[in-house]
Structure formats: structure tokens, C-alpha cells
């Protein structure tokens, strides 16, 4: 026999099956159940120890290549080389571990902020406990402002409204009731006698019995479904892996050729040629690249954290820079997530709400406050967002809200219900009369109105007045305003029967109010910035089409009247995936959609090769956050599941923060690209120098020379390039696209010609030193030539670092000395290079000789030519592009 769903069972049956009653569990029983079933909390993501994080850093392909090089160097006696390579690798791993740990700390801090308490009845005593200590069978008391701490079957309900967007995506609060439901297989949104974990009470009161906790709740069930979801590979990870593989093949081919040529010429022994091959391997591998990438990303995450974007995964920083599409929730991200009074209709005139100041005895102002269940607490206003907006509006105008509530206490009421769409309250007046204050839907309220307050006089409501009111209501609705109408009646006594027929009749029309969840003031500019950067913003909302279109127009996401760009969830359901993928470029606004539609939106854009960033705060958003190239969770309103599924968390839930993060991502990619061009062109120059020296039978640079250059004159400036200030036009360029990589945009060509140029200049200096020696003795002449080649190769790279400040721009336009870290890196690298030649003792260790001023002049002059030639090439490149 099939199990009867809990929403179809009477309360008495549920109490019996859960072994509880209306008085609640005893404290002892609650403790026993807590010990038996565990805490009421979702499974935490598996955390890794610092040691596990450290070991995981060595899975990178480039790191493995470096470890192999260190092993070969150690086995062939080059212990110093092996140790230095290992130091670089370990430092890189430490940086990676540090960033992961910092991100986890930030996420945990956000979790602490969202841990609620619960009010329960245990042993017929009402008490407050931590929500994670709730157990099945507990009786929970709810009121406006509470976060529902577990899945509940509602027992008693008083005008309860619950916002369930975390589960359903529907931002409008749903009305709840007690009693048995009859439908079979009801979706979560239709289970009106149940309340679900992580939902928010916006209005009314209720009592419920806990039917599920932790991973057994609806939230927990969905959390369990995504725990094993596959991680996506970011473009950065793919690019670095491909770069590592390409370099490995290049290294093996070049080393094999040199080794074979050397053995064929029989000029060197087997061991010497093996060492030569290792020198080439060391020259080809950019030892500092993994550390530079990690440092650049880590610094980027720190800058983003200061601007409210917490990055959970380092590579996500760079992926943000390639974003083509930003699909954003409306409520709280594009808007302020708080209803605000924008228009007031009084005396049959529509005016801007901020231009009004109400008199103390104004009955529209009083009705807005009195026919209202908002609670004023020390922490602020609690209640339905629509009602709190009415009270906040009056407070902002310095209207004496507290005094009105004190002077006019509520003595009777007819609560709101969805059938009549009205709420009425009764309050005493000073002359033994009573004020009936009514609010509700304008069309419903007008049916009960016979008079109208106009310019201080109460007159009969005419047909023309009625038409004017309805027209104004329609105009406000088309502007995405939520409209409430207000009316009143003064009576001599409280009606004997508090029914709608007795109370809500012969009313005086006081006015209407138009409210909206206003856009964040900074978002319009952020949308414009995104568009100018070639990024397409999309808006996703559970609101109606008109509301969505109005807000999107105000923000600049669509143009005025561009209704074809708006699609509803129902229309989306009528399309199959293939049809939607073809039409997806036509739509910028998605209205009345559920979170499950988000996955379809992500997939459709990805089929066009676009990099998609998707925001989400609900449990049902988690699959879309996983599917997106960048999943963006909400730090304030987001559930723990959505944060856990995201790559980045917005600490302020603000769309403009996403655009800031994209800007930072572009800067990070540009700086990594500069560092890669700089490093690989330098390494190509080193490889070419060693290769030609071997082919020409010249004395070859030793592994210690190459490694010192790689670690000092390569790595220090390259790290400094990673913190270069952002180039001025970076947010005016289109996204680089999914298929682009570090070699796109002319970088590969730059690496090739600049590497050849570095090698050619170094070989030229060596040739000059051999052809026109300062010393007559051959061994001294060779020592001078080797030293000058070593110094030239190092200095060329320091000069070339200035070229690398921009891929195509002139060094005179990007600012030679804007980056103080870069300036110090150049000074320190030059000092470390020079001391190997100038300081006695060190030059013996590095197999170099002292140089005179003439030799230093040749080295400096030849090295400086790197700047001159590259500037000339860039000049002609810019002319060709134009």
C-alpha cells in the first residue's frame, strides 16, 4: 500500500506517527532524538587538511615537468640546480594552499552570519533553541521575520505568508493554511499546509510540527543530489595544461636534436652532452610560471575580496575576464530587495512619493500605518515587505508613526485573505467613535467604496471618479509598480459581527500607493560598463512580464518598448532545447521563470561558445551554478547549498560587484599573458643561444647560468608584471572568447620574434668578444665571451620587461614607472645579476670573469637595443591594425 503523503494526513495522525502532541516533546526525548538522528544541519562539504591541500598543488602538469627536471639535475650532479627548482615548486604550492584556506575562512564567516535560532514548545514551555538542535516531533512557533528552521507540517495558521524562492524560485510570498490537502503529487509550491527549511516568514503567525531535519528535508534532498557533481575545468586550467604539454614536447625534441648532433660531431663526451641537454631543458622550462600565475591570481582575489567578491577557486578569477554573458537574478542583485513607495495617489492626483509631507490627521497616512501588521523592533521593521515599506515611508518623512499606533490601538480586525484581497482593522477615535481602516487590491476595494476624500472634503464617488482611479491604477501597474488602495469609514460602534459584509461597505476612498523594489543606484552604470565591454547582461526573475520589462528598461538591459526581448517561463517550456538554442540570442529578460530554467539558459549560450556567468541564491539554483562557467552565489540571501556550488560569492549581493570582478579578471588575464610572453620569449632566447652555441662548437652557458637568469632576471620582473596597473582601455574591448588562449592576440608572434631577437643579440655579443678579444690568452677570451653572453642575456630580459608592460602599446603610453613593485624588481634583479660578476668568490661559483668598462658598455648597449627594436615593431603593428 502506497504511503499517504504527509500533506494529506490529519494532524492527529501525524502526532501519533511522530510520537508527539501539541505540548511538544519533553527535553529528555528531544535530547535522545538529537543523539540518535544527529543535528538539524546540511552535510558540510568535505574539507581537506592543509597537508592534503599542499599535496594537491603538485598535480599540475607544469609542476610535474619541473619535478622531473629537478630529478634529472640531481642525478647528474647538478644539486644546486635541483634545489633551486624544488624551492620554486614548494613556494608555488604554499601560495596555492594559502589562498584556498583564506577563501574557506571567508565562506565559513558567511555561514556563521546565517545560523538562525528557533522558538519551540517543549513540555508545554516555550523556549528558544539553536536551529541545529531541532528534532522530528518538535513543535515550532513561527512569526514574521523568522527563518523556517526545518520542514514543518503546519498545525495552526494565522494569515501566514512564506517566501520560498530558495526552493521554488518564486519571489512573491505564498499563503499558507492548515488542514488536509487532497491533491496527489503536489509540487512543493502547492503544499500550502507545509513550510520548508530555509524559507522566510514574511507575514502572520503559525505553529508547526517538525517532520524532517537536516539532509532529510527538501533542501537537504537537493543538496545531496549535487554533492557529487563534476567540477568544470576553467579556461585557465585548460590553457596551462596545454602550455605544459606543448613545452614538454618542445623540450624533448630540442634536447634530443642537440644531444644527437653533439654525439654525431663527437666533440663532447656522453655525460657532457647529457648535461648540455639538461641545460636546454632548464632553459626551455619557465620555472617561475606556476608561481607567477598563482601569485597573480591570489593578488587578484585579495583585491576582489576588498570589493565584496569572495573567490572560492583561484582559476575562477581569470575565467571572469573572458565572460560573455552575465545572467543575473533581479531581486536583491539588480534591485535593493526592499519595497519602496514611489508614487502616491491622493485627492485624485498622482504625485511623486518623495514630494509629499502628510499632516498628523491625514487619514490616508493613518490608514497606511494602522491597517498594517508590521512590527517595529530594535533591529528594525519586521513583516511583509509590502507592509514594512508603507511604515518605513512614513518614518522617512518624520511622520509620528509610534504616536499614531499608541493613540489608535487595534481593537478588532478582519485579516487579509486571497479571495477578497482586503484587510481591515478597527481603532478608537477621541470622540468615542471608531475608525475602520481598509487596504487591498484597488479593483476589489472600489466595489465597496461609495465616497471619495478630495481636497479635505468627502463627496460622493462618481462614475468619472471611478474611471479615473482605475485608469491611474493601470498606469502605475504598467510601470511595474505594485499598487495598494486605501479606504476608511468612521462608525459609532464596533460592528457586532466582524464580517466583510458588515465592516467593508460604504467606504471612503483615501488614495492609492505605488510601490516597487527599486533598482540599485549603481547597477545602471554597471550594466552600461558591461555592455561597453562586449558583455551581454541578462535578467532572470520570477516577476510578471510587465514588471520585469519595466525594471530591465530602467537599468538599460533592454531598450524602451523592446518587448520581444522578454520571454516567460511558460513560453520557454513550449520550446525544445534545439529551438531555444537557436533563439536564445533574441532574449535578454526571463520573467516568471523557475530556477530549473536557468540550466537551459546556460546550456543554450554555451552551445554558441559563450562563457557564461550565472548568479543564484536558492537550492534549486545549484545545478545552474555548477553548469555555468562561473557560478556566483549570494553571500547575504544565498543558501549554503548555492554558496557551496559557486565559484565566487558576492558578499553584498550586488550586480555591480560582478562587473568589478570581470574587470579584475581581465586585468589578471592580461597580466598573466604579459608575464607568459615575457617568460617564453626569454626562454626561447636562452634555448636559441644554447642551441647555436652547441651547433657552432662554442663554449656553452652552464645550467647554473641559465637557472640564475630564469630565477632572477626572469621571475622577479615577471611577478611584478602580474601586478601591473590595468590598461586604460581594458573594459572597452570585447571578451576574448572561449577559444582564445594565452597565445592569442599576437602574443605567439611576439614570443617568436622577441625570443629570436634576444638569442641573436646574445650570440652577436659572444661573437664580438671572441672575434675582438680584450685578452690575448684563448682561455681568458673564452671566459670573457661567456661572461658577456651571460650578462647580455640577463640584461636583455630586464630591458625587455619594460616592453612587456603592454602587448601592443608603447612603453611611453603605459607608464614606465607606475608600478613600484616592477621598479624594485628591476633594481633587485640587476643587483643580483651584477654581483655574480662583480663580487669575488661568487664569480668562481658561477664560472664567470670580471669585465672592464668597455665590455660592460658593449653589454649595456646591445641589451638596450631590445627596447629600440621592439618599439619599432610595435609601431608598425599598430599602424597595420589601424
Amino acid at each position: 500500500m502506497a504511503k499517504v503523503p504527509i500533506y494529506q494526513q490529519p494532524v492527529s495522525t501525524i502526532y501519533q506517527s511522530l510520537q508527539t502532541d501539541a505540548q511538544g516533546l519533553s527535553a529528555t526525548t528531544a535530547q535522545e532524538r538529537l543523539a540518535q538522528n544527529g543535528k538539524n544541519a546540511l552535510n558540510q562539504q568535505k574539507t581537506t587538511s592543509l597537508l592534503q591541500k599542499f599535496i594537491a598543488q603538485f598535480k599540475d602538469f607544469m609542476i610535474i615537468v619541473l619535478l622531473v627536471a629537478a630529478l634529472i639535475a640531481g642525478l647528474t650532479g647538478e644539486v644546486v640546480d635541483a634545489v633551486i627548482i624544488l624551492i620554486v615548486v614548494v613556494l608555488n604550492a604554499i601560495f596555492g594552499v594559502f589562498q584556498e584556506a583564506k577563501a574557506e575562512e571567508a565562506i565559513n564567516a558567511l555561514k556563521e552570519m546565517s545560523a538562525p535560532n528557533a522558538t519551540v514548545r517543549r513540555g508545554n514551555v516555550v523556549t528558544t533553541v539553536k536551529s541545529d538542535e531541532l528534532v522530528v516531533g518538535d513543535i515550532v512557533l513561527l512569526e514574521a521575520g523568522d527563518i523556517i528552521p526545518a520542514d514543518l507540517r503546519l498545525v495552526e495558521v494565522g494569515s501566514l505568508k512564506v517566501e520560498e524562492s530558495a526552493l521554488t524560485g518564486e519571489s512573491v510570498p505564498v499563503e499558507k493554511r492548515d488542514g488536509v490537502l487532497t491533491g496527489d503529487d503536489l509540487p512543493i509550491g502547492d503544499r500550502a499546509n507545509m513550510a520548508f527549511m530555509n524559507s522566510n516568514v514574511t507575514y502572520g503567525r503559525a505553529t508547526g510540527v517538525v517532520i524532517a531535519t537536516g539532509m532529510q528535508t527538501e533542501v537537504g534532498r537537493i543538496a545531496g543530489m549535487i554533492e557529487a557533481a563534476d567540477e568544470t575545468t576553467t579556461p585557465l586550467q585548460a590553457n596551462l595544461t596545454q602550455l605544459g604539454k606543448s613545452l614538454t614536447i618542445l623540450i624533448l625534441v630540442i634536447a634530443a636534436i642537440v644531444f644527437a648532433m653533439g654525439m654525431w660531431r663527437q666533440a663532447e663526451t656522453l655525460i657532457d652532452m647529457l648535461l648540455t641537454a639538461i641545460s636546454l631543458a632548464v632553459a626551455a622550462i619557465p620555472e617561475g610560471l606556476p608561481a607567477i600565475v598563482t601569485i597573480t591570481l591570489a593578488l587578484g582575489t585579495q583585491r576582489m575580496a576588498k570589493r565584496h567578491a569572495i573567490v572560492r577557486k583561484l582559476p575562477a578569477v581569470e575565467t571572469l575576464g573572458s565572460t560573455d554573458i552575465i545572467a543575473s537574478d533581479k531581486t536583491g542583485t539588480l534591485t535593493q530587495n526592499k519595497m519602496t513607495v514611489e508614487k502616491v495617489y491622493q485627492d485624485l492626483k498622482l504625485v511623486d512619493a518623495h514630494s509629499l509631507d502628510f499632516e498628523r490627521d491625514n487619514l490616508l497616512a493613518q490608514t497606511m500605518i494602522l491597517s498594517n501588521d508590521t512590527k517595529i523592533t530594535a533591529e528594525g521593521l519586521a513583516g511583509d515587505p509590502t507592509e514594512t515599506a508603507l511604515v518605513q515611508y512614513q518614518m522617512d518623512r518624520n511622520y509620528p508613526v509610534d504616536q499614531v499606533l499608541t493613540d489608535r490601538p487595534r481593537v478588532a480586525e478582519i485579516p487579509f485573505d486571497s479571495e477578497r484581497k482586503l484587510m481591515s482593522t478597527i481603532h478608537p477615535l477621541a470622540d468615542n467613535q471608531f475608525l475602520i481602516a481598509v487596504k487591498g487590491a484597488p479593483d476589489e476595494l472600489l466595489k465597496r467604496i461609495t465616497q471619495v476624500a478630495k481636497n479635505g472634503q468627502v463627496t460622493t464617488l462618481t462614475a468619472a471618479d471611478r474611471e479615473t482611479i482605475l485608469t491611474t491604477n493601470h498606469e502605475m501597474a504598467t510601470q511595474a509598480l505594485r499598487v495598494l488602495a486605501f479606504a476608511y469609514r468612521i462608525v459609532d460602534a464596533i460592528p457586532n459581527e466582524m464580517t466583510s459584509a458588515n465592516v467593508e461597505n460604504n467606504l471612503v476612498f483615501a488614495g492609492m500607493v505605488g510601490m516597487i523594489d527599486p533598482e540599485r543606484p549603481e547597477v545602471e552604470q554597471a550594466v552600461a560598463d558591461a555592455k561597453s565591454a562586449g558583455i551581454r547582461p541578462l535578467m532572470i526573475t520570477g516577476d510578471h512580464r510587465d514588471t520585469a520589462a519595466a525594471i530591465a528598461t530602467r537599468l538599460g538591459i533592454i531598450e524602451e518598448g523592446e518587448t520581444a526581448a522578454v520571454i516567460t517561463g511558460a513560453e520557454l517550456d513550449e520550446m525544445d532545447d534545439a529551438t531555444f538554442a537557436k533563439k536564445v540570442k533574441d532574449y535578454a529578460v526571463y520573467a516568471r521563470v523557475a530556477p530549473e530554467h536557468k540550466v537551459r539558459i546556460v546550456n543554450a549560450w554555451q552551445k554558441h561558445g559563450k562563457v557564461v556567468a550565472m548568479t543564484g541564491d536558492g537550492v534549486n539554483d545549484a545545478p545552474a551554478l555548477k553548469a555555468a562557467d562561473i557560478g556566483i552565489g549570494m553571500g547575504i540571501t544565498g543558501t549554503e547549498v548555492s554558496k557551496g556550488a559557486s565559484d565566487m560569492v558576492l558578499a553584498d549581493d550586488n550586480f555591480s560587484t560582478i562587473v568589478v570582478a570581470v574587470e579584475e579578471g581581465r586585468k589578471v588575464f592580461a597580466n598573466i599573458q604579459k608575464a607568459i610572453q615575457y617568460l617564453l620569449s626569454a626562454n626561447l632566447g636562452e634555448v636559441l643561444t644554447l642551441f647555436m652555441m652547441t651547433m657552432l662548437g662554442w663554449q656553452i652557458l652552464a645550467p647554473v647560468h641559465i637557472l640564475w637568469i630564469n630565477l632572477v632576471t626572469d621571475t622577479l620582473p615577471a611577478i611584478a608584471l602580474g601586478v601591473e596597473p590595468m590598461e586604460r582601455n581594458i573594459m572597452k574591448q570585447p571578451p576574448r572568447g572561449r577559444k582564445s588562449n594565452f597565445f592569442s592576440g599576437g602574443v605567439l608572434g611576439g614570443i617568436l620574434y622577441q625570443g629570436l631577437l634576444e638569442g641573436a643579440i646574445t650570440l652577436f655579443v659572444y661573437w664580438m668578444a671572441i672575434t675582438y678579444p680584450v685578452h690575448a690568452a684563448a682561455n681568458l677570451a673564452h671566459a670573457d665571451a661567456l661572461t658577456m653572453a651571460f650578462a647580455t642575456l640577463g640584461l636583455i630580459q630586464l630591458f625587455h620587461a619594460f616592453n612587456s608592460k603592454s602587448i601592443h602599446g608603447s612603453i611611453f603610453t603605459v607608464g614606465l614607472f607606475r608600478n613600484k613593485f616592477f621598479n624594485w624588481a628591476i633594481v633587485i634583479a640587476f643587483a643580483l645579476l651584477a654581483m655574480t660578476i662583480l663580487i669575488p668568490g661568487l664569480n668562481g661559483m658561477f664560472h664567470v670573469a670580471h669585465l672592464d668598462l668597455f665590455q660592460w658598455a658593449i653589454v649595456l648597449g646591445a641589451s638596450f637595443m631590445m627596447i629600440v627594436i621592439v618599439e619599432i615593431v610595435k609601431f608598425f603593428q599598430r599602424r597595420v591594425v589601424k
Side-chain angles (χ1 to χ4, degrees), residues 703-721:
V704 70
H705 293 146
I706 300 301
L707 200 57
W708 191 252
I709 288 172
N710 278 2
L711 294 180
V712 174
T713 63
D714 277 12
T715 305
L716 289 177
I719 291 174
L721 285 171

mmCIF file of all heavy atoms in Angstrom, residues 703-721:
data_model
loop_
_atom_site.group_PDB
_atom_site.id
_atom_site.type_symbol
_atom_site.label_atom_id
_atom_site.label_comp_id
_atom_site.label_asym_id
_atom_site.label_seq_id
_atom_site.Cartn_x
_atom_site.Cartn_y
_atom_site.Cartn_z
ATOM 1 N N PRO A 703 74.297 25.133 -16.856
ATOM 2 C CA PRO A 703 72.952 25.130 -16.261
ATOM 3 C C PRO A 703 72.776 26.182 -15.164
ATOM 4 O O PRO A 703 71.704 26.772 -15.040
ATOM 5 C CB PRO A 703 72.831 23.711 -15.698
ATOM 6 C CG PRO A 703 73.699 22.885 -16.583
ATOM 7 C CD PRO A 703 74.863 23.764 -16.929
ATOM 8 N N VAL A 704 73.826 26.427 -14.354
ATOM 9 C CA VAL A 704 73.699 27.409 -13.277
ATOM 10 C C VAL A 704 73.482 28.811 -13.828
ATOM 11 O O VAL A 704 72.765 29.626 -13.250
ATOM 12 C CB VAL A 704 74.935 27.361 -12.346
ATOM 13 C CG1 VAL A 704 76.178 27.889 -13.039
ATOM 14 C CG2 VAL A 704 74.656 28.121 -11.049
ATOM 15 N N HIS A 705 74.095 29.112 -15.006
ATOM 16 C CA HIS A 705 73.866 30.417 -15.643
ATOM 17 C C HIS A 705 72.404 30.583 -16.023
ATOM 18 O O HIS A 705 71.767 31.604 -15.726
ATOM 19 C CB HIS A 705 74.718 30.552 -16.923
ATOM 20 C CG HIS A 705 76.179 30.606 -16.668
ATOM 21 N ND1 HIS A 705 77.116 30.056 -17.528
ATOM 22 C CD2 HIS A 705 76.897 31.121 -15.637
ATOM 23 C CE1 HIS A 705 78.326 30.247 -17.046
ATOM 24 N NE2 HIS A 705 78.211 30.886 -15.892
ATOM 25 N N ILE A 706 71.896 29.552 -16.706
ATOM 26 C CA ILE A 706 70.512 29.611 -17.198
ATOM 27 C C ILE A 706 69.525 29.682 -16.036
ATOM 28 O O ILE A 706 68.564 30.468 -16.057
ATOM 29 C CB ILE A 706 70.205 28.394 -18.094
ATOM 30 C CG1 ILE A 706 71.142 28.370 -19.302
ATOM 31 C CG2 ILE A 706 68.751 28.410 -18.544
ATOM 32 C CD1 ILE A 706 71.064 29.597 -20.170
ATOM 33 N N LEU A 707 69.752 28.864 -15.011
ATOM 34 C CA LEU A 707 68.816 28.845 -13.890
ATOM 35 C C LEU A 707 68.835 30.175 -13.139
ATOM 36 O O LEU A 707 67.784 30.666 -12.703
ATOM 37 C CB LEU A 707 69.159 27.682 -12.948
ATOM 38 C CG LEU A 707 68.023 27.235 -12.025
ATOM 39 C CD1 LEU A 707 66.807 26.848 -12.847
ATOM 40 C CD2 LEU A 707 68.444 26.083 -11.153
ATOM 41 N N TRP A 708 70.022 30.756 -12.987
ATOM 42 C CA TRP A 708 70.113 32.051 -12.296
ATOM 43 C C TRP A 708 69.354 33.126 -13.074
ATOM 44 O O TRP A 708 68.622 33.939 -12.495
ATOM 45 C CB TRP A 708 71.572 32.442 -12.094
ATOM 46 C CG TRP A 708 71.756 33.620 -11.178
ATOM 47 C CD1 TRP A 708 72.125 34.883 -11.522
ATOM 48 C CD2 TRP A 708 71.551 33.645 -9.754
ATOM 49 N NE1 TRP A 708 72.179 35.697 -10.416
ATOM 50 C CE2 TRP A 708 71.827 34.958 -9.308
ATOM 51 C CE3 TRP A 708 71.173 32.690 -8.824
ATOM 52 C CZ2 TRP A 708 71.732 35.340 -7.982
ATOM 53 C CZ3 TRP A 708 71.071 33.068 -7.493
ATOM 54 C CH2 TRP A 708 71.355 34.374 -7.096
ATOM 55 N N ILE A 709 69.537 33.114 -14.393
ATOM 56 C CA ILE A 709 68.805 34.078 -15.225
ATOM 57 C C ILE A 709 67.300 33.832 -15.124
ATOM 58 O O ILE A 709 66.505 34.764 -14.976
ATOM 59 C CB ILE A 709 69.280 33.985 -16.697
ATOM 60 C CG1 ILE A 709 70.688 34.584 -16.827
ATOM 61 C CG2 ILE A 709 68.322 34.710 -17.633
ATOM 62 C CD1 ILE A 709 71.326 34.372 -18.185
ATOM 63 N N ASN A 710 66.900 32.549 -15.186
ATOM 64 C CA ASN A 710 65.477 32.225 -15.100
ATOM 65 C C ASN A 710 64.863 32.667 -13.776
ATOM 66 O O ASN A 710 63.738 33.164 -13.726
ATOM 67 C CB ASN A 710 65.260 30.714 -15.261
ATOM 68 C CG ASN A 710 65.263 30.284 -16.726
ATOM 69 O OD1 ASN A 710 65.471 31.109 -17.617
ATOM 70 N ND2 ASN A 710 65.050 29.015 -16.976
ATOM 71 N N LEU A 711 65.595 32.478 -12.684
ATOM 72 C CA LEU A 711 65.042 32.760 -11.357
ATOM 73 C C LEU A 711 65.157 34.227 -10.969
ATOM 74 O O LEU A 711 64.343 34.725 -10.209
ATOM 75 C CB LEU A 711 65.734 31.890 -10.306
ATOM 76 C CG LEU A 711 65.481 30.379 -10.428
ATOM 77 C CD1 LEU A 711 66.224 29.633 -9.330
ATOM 78 C CD2 LEU A 711 64.000 30.067 -10.357
ATOM 79 N N VAL A 712 66.171 34.916 -11.481
ATOM 80 C CA VAL A 712 66.406 36.309 -11.073
ATOM 81 C C VAL A 712 65.873 37.290 -12.107
ATOM 82 O O VAL A 712 64.927 38.035 -11.856
ATOM 83 C CB VAL A 712 67.909 36.539 -10.795
ATOM 84 C CG1 VAL A 712 68.163 38.006 -10.508
ATOM 85 C CG2 VAL A 712 68.369 35.684 -9.632
ATOM 86 N N THR A 713 66.476 37.281 -13.294
ATOM 87 C CA THR A 713 66.076 38.279 -14.290
ATOM 88 C C THR A 713 64.780 37.904 -15.000
ATOM 89 O O THR A 713 64.169 38.751 -15.639
ATOM 90 C CB THR A 713 67.196 38.504 -15.327
ATOM 91 O OG1 THR A 713 67.426 37.284 -16.030
ATOM 92 C CG2 THR A 713 68.475 38.925 -14.648
ATOM 93 N N ASP A 714 64.359 36.646 -14.902
ATOM 94 C CA ASP A 714 63.051 36.263 -15.455
ATOM 95 C C ASP A 714 61.946 36.439 -14.415
ATOM 96 O O ASP A 714 60.978 37.160 -14.620
ATOM 97 C CB ASP A 714 63.059 34.781 -15.879
ATOM 98 C CG ASP A 714 63.669 34.604 -17.263
ATOM 99 O OD1 ASP A 714 64.273 35.564 -17.749
ATOM 100 O OD2 ASP A 714 63.544 33.498 -17.815
ATOM 101 N N THR A 715 62.084 35.740 -13.299
ATOM 102 C CA THR A 715 60.974 35.576 -12.358
ATOM 103 C C THR A 715 60.597 36.866 -11.639
ATOM 104 O O THR A 715 59.399 37.181 -11.523
ATOM 105 C CB THR A 715 61.308 34.477 -11.337
ATOM 106 O OG1 THR A 715 61.632 33.286 -12.040
ATOM 107 C CG2 THR A 715 60.136 34.221 -10.414
ATOM 108 N N LEU A 716 61.563 37.618 -11.141
ATOM 109 C CA LEU A 716 61.224 38.829 -10.391
ATOM 110 C C LEU A 716 60.451 39.847 -11.234
ATOM 111 O O LEU A 716 59.377 40.307 -10.825
ATOM 112 C CB LEU A 716 62.491 39.460 -9.797
ATOM 113 C CG LEU A 716 63.137 38.683 -8.636
ATOM 114 C CD1 LEU A 716 64.420 39.381 -8.179
ATOM 115 C CD2 LEU A 716 62.171 38.563 -7.462
ATOM 116 N N PRO A 717 60.936 40.211 -12.441
ATOM 117 C CA PRO A 717 60.127 41.127 -13.262
ATOM 118 C C PRO A 717 58.794 40.521 -13.686
ATOM 119 O O PRO A 717 57.789 41.225 -13.792
ATOM 120 C CB PRO A 717 61.019 41.392 -14.484
ATOM 121 C CG PRO A 717 62.394 41.100 -14.018
ATOM 122 C CD PRO A 717 62.256 39.966 -13.055
ATOM 123 N N ALA A 718 58.762 39.207 -13.931
ATOM 124 C CA ALA A 718 57.513 38.566 -14.353
ATOM 125 C C ALA A 718 56.463 38.648 -13.248
ATOM 126 O O ALA A 718 55.278 38.884 -13.513
ATOM 127 C CB ALA A 718 57.765 37.117 -14.741
ATOM 128 N N ILE A 719 56.886 38.413 -11.994
ATOM 129 C CA ILE A 719 55.953 38.557 -10.866
ATOM 130 C C ILE A 719 55.459 39.997 -10.788
ATOM 131 O O ILE A 719 54.269 40.251 -10.570
ATOM 132 C CB ILE A 719 56.630 38.144 -9.545
ATOM 133 C CG1 ILE A 719 56.879 36.631 -9.524
ATOM 134 C CG2 ILE A 719 55.774 38.538 -8.342
ATOM 135 C CD1 ILE A 719 57.671 36.154 -8.330
ATOM 136 N N ALA A 720 56.346 40.960 -11.001
ATOM 137 C CA ALA A 720 55.957 42.370 -10.960
ATOM 138 C C ALA A 720 55.001 42.711 -12.093
ATOM 139 O O ALA A 720 54.095 43.530 -11.926
ATOM 140 C CB ALA A 720 57.197 43.255 -11.032
ATOM 141 N N LEU A 721 55.173 42.067 -13.253
ATOM 142 C CA LEU A 721 54.224 42.277 -14.349
ATOM 143 C C LEU A 721 52.824 41.794 -13.953
ATOM 144 O O LEU A 721 51.819 42.278 -14.464
ATOM 145 C CB LEU A 721 54.688 41.540 -15.611
ATOM 146 C CG LEU A 721 55.852 42.171 -16.379
ATOM 147 C CD1 LEU A 721 56.340 41.228 -17.471
ATOM 148 C CD2 LEU A 721 55.453 43.518 -16.983
#
